[in-house]
Amino acid sequence: MLGGLEAGGTKFICVVGSSPDDIRLSERIEVGGPTATIHAALEVFRAALQDGLPIRALGIGSFGPLELRPGHPAFGSITTTPKPGWRGTDIVGPFRETFGLPIGFDTDVNAAALGEGRWGAARGLRSFVYLTVGTGIGGGAVVDGRVAHGMVHPEMGHVAVARYPGDDYPGRCPFHGDCLEGMGSGPAIGARFGHRAEDLAGVDRERAVDLAAFYLAAGVRSLTYALAPERVVVGGGLSTMPGLLERARSFLDDQLAGYPGLPEHASPDYLVPAGLGGMAGPAGTLALAEAALADATPDTIAPA
């Protein structure tokens, strides 16, 4: 048995199992302040152990930005998040101190990428991107079989994008304004209409789908050129809007403008919905735990 924590900005999902098809426990925790929220998650895993579930390792996939450099003093912490009260929160330390188990730690989107690569829409591929499009936009890249890391994890939601013709919305990213997340996230689309994007109907809904699809395609264009993935997998609440991915494929074809001219980029198999749906993140945390267990000694914490 493995334990997994998908630590999202609005909810924590705690799971215990060995795969998406073998989940023995799943509990949702609404996010409040860091102390209370992390304590609630600790209690879920403590109770699971007391109930006889033999958890051998934990995987934590968290919203970020995160400090993932193992030698850094702040390793295991959330860093410059705009989420009130969470900046500088050590999210790994309490689990290490409480349970003494191997812990795999990465971003929630990198965890979801691992889940989709192991069990979902990117299964069998060596290089792919997972994007989540919802309250925010983020992504994880697997390149030649390994999650991409550098000085910091990739921040795909903050790439620059061209504007949809006639769109004068200033953008809602607190750092960049009109980056991909600032223009194409669920709240950014909804702000143009005064209602949640998912609740729109009629002409407004068609317009919202067009906007979201255009900005999604603009982001995918940049990732296509920078990372050369075999596939881009899209999850998150906004990704389920009817017609969004079909429209995004059309916009992407226009924006690539025939370069580099690969037929694969025009295929419906290039830009696809997440195979695991909402389970991509929780499943990915189990993959993080499995990796930590495979190459770790007790008390080891390792990024993917």
Side-chain angles (χ1 to χ4, degrees):
M1 288 291 101
L2 303 165
L5 170 62
E6 183 188 28
T10 58
K11 65 182 183 299
F12 277 21
I13 303 293
C14 303
V15 294
V16 177
S18 61
S19 74
D21 297 322
D22 179 34
I23 299 296
R24 309 296 179 88
L25 176 151
S26 177
E27 290 200 24
R28 174 181 173 132
I29 299 166
E30 299 302 321
V31 171
T35 301
T37 306
I38 291 172
H39 175 76
L42 290 169
E43 288 302 305
V44 170
F45 293 114
R46 184 180 285 115
L49 287 164
Q50 291 172 349
D51 289 343
L53 290 174
I55 300 172
R56 301 280 308 284
L58 291 171
I60 300 174
S62 175
F63 72 92
L66 304 177
E67 180 53 71
L68 295 175
R69 293 171 289 181
H72 195 281
F75 177 69
S77 296
I78 298 169
T79 60
T80 55
T81 178
K83 187 171 180 60
W86 283 81
R87 181 175 294 206
T89 296
D90 179 2
I91 196 166
V92 168
F95 292 89
R96 175 187 56 204
E97 293 158 11
T98 300
F99 301 115
L101 293 170
I103 298 177
F105 178 56
D106 216 318
T107 65
D108 49 359
V109 283
N110 278 347
L114 288 172
E116 286 292 329
R118 177 72 182 276
W119 297 290
R123 188 172 181 176
L125 301 181
R126 296 285 295 172
S127 297
F128 60 90
V129 167
Y130 172 84
L131 280 177
T132 182
V133 185
T135 305
I137 296 178
V142 172
V143 179
D144 197 22
R146 295 182 63 85
V147 175
H149 290 127
M151 184 178 294
V152 69
H153 48 82
E155 288 284 4
M156 299 179 191
H158 294 277
V159 299
V161 290
R163 282 182 170 270
Y164 185 93
D167 183 17
D168 60 0
Y169 178 66
R172 63 177 290 120
C173 173
F175 297 99
H176 312 113
D178 59 355
C179 62
L180 174 57
E181 180 174 287
M183 300 301 287
S185 64
I189 299 298
R192 294 166 167 92
F193 301 92
H195 296 281
R196 289 194 333 142
E198 297 89 334
D199 296 336
L200 297 171
V203 174
D204 283 350
R205 186 180 186 87
E206 292 177 13
R207 170 75 171 170
V209 168
D210 241 28
L211 285 165
F214 178 90
Y215 288 114
L216 173 59
V220 171
R221 175 195 176 189
S222 293
L223 299 174
T224 295
Y225 288 144
L227 297 173
E230 299 171 82
R231 183 169 296 160
V232 179
V233 179
V234 184
L238 204 63
S239 72
T240 62
M241 290 182 71
L244 177 69
L245 288 186
E246 291 86 348
R247 193 76 183 101
R249 291 186 190 110
S250 177
F251 277 127
L252 179 61
D253 189 52
D254 292 341
Q255 292 175 20
L256 290 176
Y259 187 84
L262 297 181
E264 289 86 349
H265 290 150
S267 166
D269 293 332
Y270 183 64
L271 184 62
V272 303
L276 298 177
M279 273 301 294
T285 63
L286 296 181
L288 285 173
E290 185 178 64
L293 181 63
D295 60 14
T297 57
D299 298 326
T300 294
I301 313 166

